Amino acid sequence: METTTLKLRRVAIDTYKENVAYLHRDCEFYRSEGFQALNKIEVSSAQNGNSVIAVLNIVDDVSITTPGELGLSEQVFDQFSVSEGTAVTIAHAIAPQSIKSVHRKISGERLQFEDYLAINQDIARNSYSKIEIAAYLVGCAESGLDRDEVLYLTRAMLQTGEQLHWDEPLVVDKHCIGGIPGNRTSMLVVPIVAEHGMLMPKTSSRAITSPAGTADTMEVLANVDLSPDTMHHLVTHERAFLAWGGTAKLAPVDDILIAVERPLSMDSPGQMVASILSKKVAAGSTHLLIDIPIGPTAKICSQTNAMKLRKLFEYVGDCMGLTLEVLITDGRQPIGHGIGPVLEARDVMRILENHPLAPLDLREKSLQLAGRILEFDPDVRGGQGYRLARDILESGRALQKMQAIMRAQGASGYIARPSKLQHQVIAHDTGRVEAIDNLQLAQIAHLAGAPMDKEAGIDLHKKIGDTVEKDEPIYTIHAEFNADFKFAKQASTADNAYQVGA
Amino acid sequence: METTTLKLRRVAIDTYKENVAYLHRDCEFYRSEGFQALNKIEVSSAQNGNSVIAVLNIVDDVSITTPGELGLSEQVFDQFSVSEGTAVTIAHAIAPQSIKSVHRKISGERLQFEDYLAINQDIARNSYSKIEIAAYLVGCAESGLDRDEVLYLTRAMLQTGEQLHWDEPLVVDKHCIGGIPGNRTSMLVVPIVAEHGMLMPKTSSRAITSPAGTADTMEVLANVDLSPDTMHHLVTHERAFLAWGGTAKLAPVDDILIAVERPLSMDSPGQMVASILSKKVAAGSTHLLIDIPIGPTAKICSQTNAMKLRKLFEYVGDCMGLTLEVLITDGRQPIGHGIGPVLEARDVMRILENHPLAPLDLREKSLQLAGRILEFDPDVRGGQGYRLARDILESGRALQKMQAIMRAQGASGYIARPSKLQHQVIAHDTGRVEAIDNLQLAQIAHLAGAPMDKEAGIDLHKKIGDTVEKDEPIYTIHAEFNADFKFAKQASTADNAYQVGA
C-alpha cells in the first residue's frame, strides 16, 4: 500500500443490497496483492475516515474503470459519501469477528445476547457478504432458536437501529404475519382507532414479492413518504398516520436480511418474531395486536404451529415490555375483492363509505381487529370494542378521519383510473368454490404488474362457499402492459387457483 | 415477451463463478416485467437453443449496456457461446426444483440419491445462485450427512462430471486432506511409484487460499496444463504425469462449490469425502491412499475425529469399488523447509538428488506413502514397500523418472531465480521449538505473494524439537513486491507462528 492510492469513481450499476467494487485487471494492486474476483475488500478514504466493505469484480474495459481508479456501484458509492476523484486506499477485508458465532450456531450451539448483537452490528455496517448472511439465516433456521435466543435477537436488532419516541403511555399498533392477498385491514383499523382518540402512528412496508403492501395501497390515496415533521403534525392533529416505514432506519438489519431471505424463501419463526417485535418497539409502540392467519396456502398451515408462534410472540413481547395480544384468523383465501394497490384501495374506501359493494369479509375482520385494539383503552369495557368500532365506521366518522389523514399526508400525485387491459377468468365447472390458492393468486397478480403498476392485479368475483356456473367469471385480471397481461393470463390458464366441487 | 428481443453484449467484467447480466434501467423489459437488481433471469438464444441463468445488475450508463442490449459478464458470455449482437430473450428464472430438497435438508431430513443428483445437476448448470449454494452447504454441515448420504452424494457428484478411463486393472492415486504447508509428497511419490511400473496419472489442484498447490509447485519444473494427447503419451511412456486437474471437467460442481466454501471456511466431512472420492473415481483411480494429518492447527485436531473420518472414507470408498487405505500422519507443523512454489520445488529436487540439504521429514513421509502404494502391487510383499521405495530413491532412478516426466510434459516457461526481497525472522527467546502454527505460516507465505509470485514464500530454518538462540533466524520471508513484503513482515511481527519454551 505504502502511499499509493486509487481515484474513486462511481460506476453506474445498481447492485441493490450487494456492495460491488470494480478494479481494472492492470491495476497494480490487483497484481501485487493477490486480489481475485469475488474477494471482499475494504475501501478507505483518508479524507473523511469512512470505510466500506465491497465484493470485488475485475474490469477489462477502461471505459468502466481505468487502472488508476477504484469503481464503486451506485448504492455503496452513495453510502461511502466521498466524491468522485477522491484518493482512496484498498485492502483485503478481514472476515468480521462475529462470523465465529455464526459457525458456532451452525454447529448447534445456543448463542448469547452479545453474539447476536455483534452479528447484527456487523450486518448493519455491511460487513457480511450475501453468502455469509445466507449461512447465518440457514444456521438459525436449521438448529432453531430457543425462546431466549429469540429475545436476545430481538434486543440486538432493536439496539442496532434508530428508535421513535412519542411520549405517551399508550401507543397502539397491529401486525399481520402476511401471506394473505387483499387483507388491507390497517387502512381501516387506523382511522377507526384514531377517531376514538388512541395514538396509532402506523409505519408499513412496500411489497417485495407480494402484489401489494399497505404502503403501496395507501400511496394510491396519499403521500406515504413522510418527513419526521409531517409525522409529528399528524400525530398531534389526527392521532395517526399511514406512512411507509422505509426511511425511518428503524430496522437496518432487516432491510439487508430480506435481500437474502426472499430469494431463499427463508422465513424462520425466530427471525420473524424478532424482526417484527424489534421493529414495533423501535417505532415506539406499547400495545400490539398480532394477526396470524391459518390456511393451507397461508404462511401457517396448522393450529399447532399457530399456537407455538403465538406463545413465542407472547414470551418475547412480555419480556420486551409490550402489551401484546395475538388473534388467530381465517387464512384460507384472500380477504376482500381486490388484489393490487388500486383495487385494494377501492375496497377500503367502499367500506369506509358504507357502500353496498363493500367486501363484507374485509369489513368484518377489520372491525374485529379494531375492536381488540380499542379494548387496550382502560376506559373501554371488555367485549365492547367491536360494537364501538362498528359505530365509528357506520356513523361515517371513520371515513372523515381517513379523509383528514389523507389531506394531512398530502396528495401522492397518483390519479386513479381503470386499468387498460382486462381479462375475465371463467369457471371450468358448475359447483361450489371449495378452496382458493393464496399463493397462486398472488403470483398471477404479481405477474399482471402489481404493485409496480398500481391499477394492475385481480378483482375476485367469487369466494369460498359461493356457487358458480360453468363459464361464469370467477375473477378479472387487470394489467397495464401487454407482456404482463400475457404472462398473467398464461399463469391463470395453467392454474386458475380455484377448486370447485359438486 | 412477444417477439421483442435484446442484442447480446459482452461486458468486460470478470465476476468469477457468479453469472451476472446487465440490463439498462430504461430497457422496456426492466420496466414492464418487474425485474429488480439481484433477481435471477434466464437468458435464451433462439439461434443455438442455449440458455443461461444470471443474476441481474441494473445499468445507468449506456457505455456499459444500452437499453436495447443485454450484457453478460465475461465468464457467462463465454459459457453461453453466442456471439455479440445476436438476438436473445430474457425471462424471470424459476427457482430450480431441487431447492425443495435443500429446504428438506435444512429441516433435518435425510435425502436420497435422486435428491443429491438433482441438486448437483442444477448446480453444475449454474442454476443455483451463491446464496442458494450457501444454504445447501450450511444445510449439509449443520444437520450432517449420514454415511449413506455421503455415498449418494459421491455417486451424484461422479455422475455430474466427465470420467477418464485408463483400461488397466491397477491405477493408483494418493490424496492429502490438506492444511499442512510444504507437504509436497505427490511430486516424490509419483516418480518412485511410476519407476516401479505402476500407473499413477496424477491430477492436482492449484492453491486457492493456501500458499501453493501441487500444480503450482510442479509448474516451476514443467508445464502442467496437459492436453488429453499429452496425458496419453505420458501414461504410455512414463506410467505417470503430474498435471493440473482443472481442465478435465471431472468435478464441475466442486469448482462451483469452492467459490462459496472458501469464503465461508466451510469444510464439512460429508462434502469433503464425497468431493475427494468422486474426483478420484472420475480420474479413473482404482487404488487410493488417503493422508489425514493431525495437529492443533491442522484440519483435523484429534485422533477421535481422524478415526471418524477414516471410517467414513473406508465405507464410501468400499461402496464405490475403490481399494482404499488411510494413513493418519503427524500434522503438527509444516513438512519440508520451503513454503511456496519455488522453495517447495527446491526441496523436492534436493530429495530426488539425495542432496545433503534435503529436508528429512518430507523425504521420510514421501517414502512412507510411496511404500504403502507400492504394496497395492500384488507382487510386492506386505511390509516391503518402504524399502523398495527407498531403493528407487537412493539409486537415483526416481530422479531419472522425474526428469523424464518433466521432459515429456514440456517446459513451463518458468525460469527459477532467487526472490528479490528477503527478510529473516528471528527468535525472541532461547529455548526449544515447542509448536508451529500451520495456519499463521500459511497466511504469512500467502501475504508474501505465494503462489502467484512463484519465488515468494517462507524458508523454515527450525522445526519442532530444534533448539534456538535468542535472535537466531527461525525462517526467511521471500517476496517479489514491496507491498507484499511489508504485509508479510507485519504479520510475522504480530505473530511469528513459533512457540519457543525453556
Side-chain angles (χ1 to χ4, degrees):
Chain A
M1 307 286 280
E2 322 269 313
T3 53
T4 327
T5 56
L6 294 168
K7 279 190 179 171
L8 186 66
R9 173 164 173 177
R10 180 174 187 273
V11 175
I13 297 180
D14 166 4
T15 56
Y16 196 49
K17 298 282 178 193
E18 176 124 302
N19 291 350
V20 178
Y22 300 90
L23 201 60
H24 196 280
R25 197 178 299 279
D26 296 333
C27 169
E28 64 167 309
F29 286 106
Y30 175 66
R31 173 67 198 76
S32 71
E33 299 200 18
F35 287 122
Q36 191 176 308
L38 296 195
N39 276 174
K40 269 164 69 181
I41 63 168
E42 181 166 16
V43 185
S44 308
S45 157
Q47 186 185 295
N48 65 356
N50 281 359
S51 73
V52 285
I53 305 285
V55 164
L56 193 62
N57 280 193
I58 303 303
V59 171
D60 291 300
D61 178 348
V62 291
S63 76
I64 299 171
T65 315
T66 66
E69 290 176 326
L70 184 276
L72 288 179
S73 61
E74 296 173 347
Q75 292 85 345
V76 58
F77 179 86
D78 295 345
Q79 181 195 331
F80 195 35
S81 306
V82 174
S83 51
E84 276 198 291
T86 308
V88 295
T89 55
I90 58 172
H92 286 280
I94 298 159
Q97 271 299 107
S98 61
I99 279 288
K100 288 181 184 161
S101 303
V102 171
H103 281 284
R104 283 170 43 222
K105 187 73 218 166
I106 293 171
S107 352
E109 272 185 55
R110 193 171 169 283
L111 300 185
Q112 300 301 314
F113 170 70
E114 291 69 26
D115 298 308
Y116 287 110
L117 184 62
I119 292 169
N120 278 274
Q121 285 172 337
D122 281 337
I123 293 174
R125 68 170 74 99
N126 283 306
S127 299
Y128 273 49
S129 65
K130 280 199 306 166
I131 59 174
E132 286 164 343
I133 291 173
Y136 165 60
L137 290 172
V138 174
C140 288
E142 188 155 345
S143 55
L145 305 186
D146 71 27
R147 61 190 200 175
D148 279 317
E149 287 187 280
V150 179
L151 175 60
Y152 301 150
L153 178 59
T154 308
R155 288 191 175 138
M157 291 180 101
L158 179 64
Q159 202 165 316
T160 313
E162 294 178 8
Q163 291 189 41
L164 302 177
H165 300 280
W166 302 107
D167 297 319
E168 292 209 20
L170 195 69
V171 182
V172 300
D173 205 346
K174 67 159 281 289
H175 189 89
C176 176
I177 66 157
I180 309 299
N183 204 26
R184 217 55 322 128
T185 55
S186 291
M187 288 173 66
L188 293 155
V189 169
V190 166
I192 292 172
V193 165
E195 174 60 24
H196 177 70
M198 293 177 100
L199 182 58
M200 190 162 184
K202 184 99 194 78
T203 53
S204 305
S205 56
R206 291 187 191 279
I208 296 181
T209 56
S210 74
T214 294
D216 302 301
T217 301
M218 185 65 193
E219 202 171 29
V220 171
L221 306 176
N223 180 25
V224 292
D225 194 356
L226 305 184
S227 68
D229 280 354
T230 310
M231 288 189 188
H232 189 75
H233 176 89
L234 273 144
V235 161
T236 308
H237 293 87
E238 306 300 342
R239 306 293 289 155
F241 56 73
L242 276 152
W244 173 50
T247 43
K249 292 185 185 165
L250 301 180
V253 170
D254 224 45
D255 294 344
I256 297 169
L257 294 185
I258 223 161
V260 174
E261 284 170 330
R262 295 294 165 128
L264 278 182
S265 310
M266 296 282 304
D267 204 0
S268 67
Q271 287 285 346
M272 177 170 70
V273 168
S275 154
I276 292 170
L277 294 186
S278 63
K279 231 183 292 189
K280 294 304 176 186
V281 175
S285 306
T286 61
H287 290 64
L288 178 61
L289 182 67
I290 299 282
D291 169 17
I292 304 181
I294 310 185
T297 55
K299 272 193 192 169
I300 302 294
C301 306
S302 74
Q303 190 69 37
T304 315
N305 284 340
M307 198 53 79
K308 266 195 212 161
L309 190 58
R310 190 189 107 180
K311 301 282 177 191
L312 186 57
F313 268 116
E314 290 170 348
Y315 178 79
V316 179
D318 285 356
C319 293
M320 297 297 291
L322 279 170
T323 302
L324 182 145
E325 296 238 10
V326 175
L327 263 187
I328 293 177
T329 60
D330 180 357
R332 291 175 303 148
Q333 61 179 338
I335 306 284
H337 299 150
I339 302 172
V342 163
L343 296 164
E344 293 177 12
R346 177 208 61 190
D347 281 358
V348 165
M349 293 312 294
R350 281 182 178 167
I351 292 169
L352 289 170
E353 291 160 0
N354 296 303
H355 190 284
L357 291 177
L360 293 180
D361 57 348
L362 177 58
R363 179 183 191 274
E364 180 60 25
K365 181 168 176 181
S366 302
L367 289 176
Q368 295 277 358
L369 297 175
R372 289 294 282 266
I373 292 176
L374 289 174
E375 291 181 17
F376 283 140
D377 177 354
D379 295 339
V380 173
R381 192 178 171 85
Q384 298 299 307
Y386 178 84
R387 197 172 310 170
L388 187 53
R390 199 183 54 197
D391 288 349
I392 294 172
L393 178 66
E394 290 183 347
S395 65
R397 286 159 57 210
L399 175 63
Q400 286 164 19
K401 173 58 78 176
M402 185 63 160
Q403 287 165 335
I405 291 172
M406 283 158 56
R407 272 194 306 273
Q409 291 194 191
S412 65
Y414 173 79
I415 297 157
R417 51 169 185 74
S419 65
K420 286 191 194 133
L421 304 163
Q422 300 187 9
H423 167 73
Q424 287 195 329
V425 175
I426 54 169
H428 300 314
D429 306 290
T430 296
R432 194 177 291 272
V433 177
E434 288 182 340
I436 301 180
D437 185 334
N438 289 314
L439 299 170
Q440 177 66 6
L441 279 184
Q443 173 69 3
I444 295 169
H446 192 59
L447 287 171
M452 206 186 252
D453 306 324
K454 296 226 175 272
E455 298 80 9
I458 290 177
D459 203 12
L460 302 177
H461 310 312
K462 297 288 178 182
K463 301 296 275 283
I464 291 177
D466 289 351
T467 52
V468 293
E469 301 290 319
K470 186 171 187 306
D471 297 337
E472 191 187 5
I474 48 178
Y475 56 85
T476 303
I477 296 173
H478 293 253
E480 290 289 289
F481 292 92
N482 270 318
D484 304 347
F485 194 48
K486 187 179 153 196
F487 275 124
K489 283 193 290 184
Q490 276 173 353
S492 81
T493 304
D495 173 4
N496 70 14
Y498 273 61
Q499 195 181 310
V500 175
Chain B
M1 308 285 280
E2 323 268 311
T3 54
T4 327
T5 56
L6 293 168
K7 278 191 177 170
L8 186 65
R9 171 163 174 178
R10 181 175 186 274
V11 175
I13 297 180
D14 166 4
T15 55
Y16 196 49
K17 297 282 179 192
E18 176 124 302
N19 292 350
V20 178
Y22 302 88
L23 201 60
H24 196 281
R25 197 179 297 279
D26 296 334
C27 168
E28 64 166 311
F29 286 106
Y30 174 66
R31 174 67 198 77
S32 71
E33 297 200 18
F35 287 123
Q36 189 176 309
L38 298 194
N39 275 173
K40 272 164 67 182
I41 63 167
E42 181 166 16
V43 185
S44 308
S45 156
Q47 186 185 296
N48 65 357
N50 281 358
S51 72
V52 285
I53 304 284
V55 163
L56 193 61
N57 280 193
I58 302 304
V59 172
D60 291 300
D61 177 348
V62 292
S63 76
I64 299 171
T65 314
T66 65
E69 291 175 326
L70 184 275
L72 287 179
S73 60
E74 296 174 347
Q75 292 85 345
V76 57
F77 179 85
D78 295 346
Q79 180 195 333
F80 196 36
S81 306
V82 174
S83 51
E84 277 197 292
T86 307
V88 295
T89 54
I90 58 173
H92 286 279
I94 297 158
Q97 271 299 106
S98 62
I99 279 289
K100 287 181 185 163
S101 303
V102 171
H103 281 284
R104 281 170 46 223
K105 187 74 215 164
I106 293 172
S107 350
E109 272 186 54
R110 195 171 167 283
L111 300 185
Q112 299 302 313
F113 170 69
E114 291 70 25
D115 298 309
Y116 286 111
L117 183 61
I119 291 169
N120 278 274
Q121 285 173 336
D122 281 336
I123 292 175
R125 66 171 74 100
N126 284 305
S127 299
Y128 272 48
S129 65
K130 280 199 305 166
I131 58 173
E132 286 164 344
I133 291 172
Y136 166 59
L137 290 172
V138 174
C140 288
E142 187 155 345
S143 55
L145 305 185
D146 70 28
R147 61 191 202 174
D148 280 317
E149 286 187 281
V150 179
L151 175 60
Y152 301 150
L153 178 60
T154 308
R155 287 190 174 139
M157 291 180 102
L158 179 64
Q159 202 165 318
T160 313
E162 294 178 7
Q163 292 189 41
L164 302 177
H165 301 280
W166 303 107
D167 297 319
E168 293 209 19
L170 195 68
V171 183
V172 300
D173 205 344
K174 67 158 281 289
H175 189 90
C176 176
I177 66 157
I180 309 298
N183 203 27
R184 217 60 315 132
T185 55
S186 290
M187 287 173 67
L188 294 156
V189 170
V190 166
I192 293 171
V193 165
E195 175 60 24
H196 177 71
M198 293 176 101
L199 181 58
M200 190 161 185
K202 183 97 194 80
T203 53
S204 304
S205 56
R206 291 186 191 280
I208 295 180
T209 56
S210 73
T214 294
D216 301 301
T217 301
M218 184 66 191
E219 202 171 31
V220 171
L221 307 175
N223 179 26
V224 293
D225 194 356
L226 306 183
S227 68
D229 279 356
T230 310
M231 288 188 189
H232 188 76
H233 177 89
L234 273 144
V235 160
T236 310
H237 292 86
E238 306 299 344
R239 304 294 290 156
F241 55 73
L242 276 151
W244 172 51
T247 43
K249 291 186 187 165
L250 302 179
V253 170
D254 225 44
D255 293 344
I256 296 170
L257 293 186
I258 222 160
V260 174
E261 282 169 331
R262 295 293 165 130
L264 278 183
S265 310
M266 294 283 305
D267 203 2
S268 66
Q271 286 286 345
M272 177 170 71
V273 168
S275 154
I276 292 170
L277 295 184
S278 64
K279 231 184 290 188
K280 296 302 176 187
V281 175
S285 306
T286 61
H287 291 63
L288 177 62
L289 182 66
I290 298 282
D291 169 16
I292 303 181
I294 310 187
T297 54
K299 270 192 193 172
I300 302 295
C301 306
S302 75
Q303 190 68 38
T304 315
N305 284 340
M307 198 52 80
K308 265 194 214 163
L309 190 58
R310 190 189 107 180
K311 301 282 177 189
L312 186 57
F313 269 118
E314 290 170 349
Y315 178 80
V316 179
D318 286 356
C319 295
M320 297 297 292
L322 279 169
T323 303
L324 181 144
E325 296 239 10
V326 176
L327 263 186
I328 292 177
T329 61
D330 180 356
R332 289 173 304 146
Q333 60 180 339
I335 306 285
H337 299 150
I339 301 171
V342 163
L343 296 165
E344 293 176 13
R346 177 207 61 190
D347 282 357
V348 166
M349 292 313 293
R350 281 182 178 167
I351 293 168
L352 289 169
E353 291 160 0
N354 296 304
H355 190 285
L357 292 177
L360 294 179
D361 57 346
L362 177 58
R363 179 183 191 273
E364 182 60 24
K365 181 167 176 181
S366 302
L367 289 175
Q368 294 278 0
L369 296 175
R372 290 292 284 268
I373 292 175
L374 290 173
E375 291 180 18
F376 283 140
D377 177 354
D379 296 339
V380 173
R381 193 179 171 84
Q384 298 298 308
Y386 177 85
R387 197 172 308 171
L388 186 53
R390 202 182 51 197
D391 289 349
I392 295 172
L393 179 66
E394 288 183 347
S395 66
R397 287 158 58 212
L399 176 62
Q400 287 164 21
K401 174 56 80 178
M402 184 63 160
Q403 287 164 337
I405 292 172
M406 283 159 55
R407 273 194 306 275
Q409 291 194 190
S412 65
Y414 173 79
I415 297 156
R417 51 167 185 74
S419 64
K420 286 192 195 136
L421 304 163
Q422 300 187 10
H423 167 73
Q424 287 194 330
V425 175
I426 55 169
H428 300 314
D429 305 290
T430 296
R432 194 176 291 272
V433 177
E434 289 182 339
I436 301 180
D437 184 336
N438 289 314
L439 299 170
Q440 177 65 6
L441 280 184
Q443 174 69 5
I444 295 169
H446 193 60
L447 287 172
M452 205 187 252
D453 306 325
K454 297 224 175 273
E455 299 79 8
I458 289 177
D459 204 11
L460 301 176
H461 311 312
K462 298 289 178 182
K463 302 294 276 279
I464 289 176
D466 289 351
T467 52
V468 293
E469 300 289 320
K470 185 171 187 307
D471 296 337
E472 192 185 5
I474 48 179
Y475 56 86
T476 303
I477 297 173
H478 293 254
E480 289 290 290
F481 292 92
N482 270 318
D484 304 348
F485 194 48
K486 188 180 152 194
F487 275 124
K489 282 194 291 185
Q490 276 173 354
S492 82
T493 304
D495 173 5
N496 70 13
Y498 272 62
Q499 193 180 309
V500 175

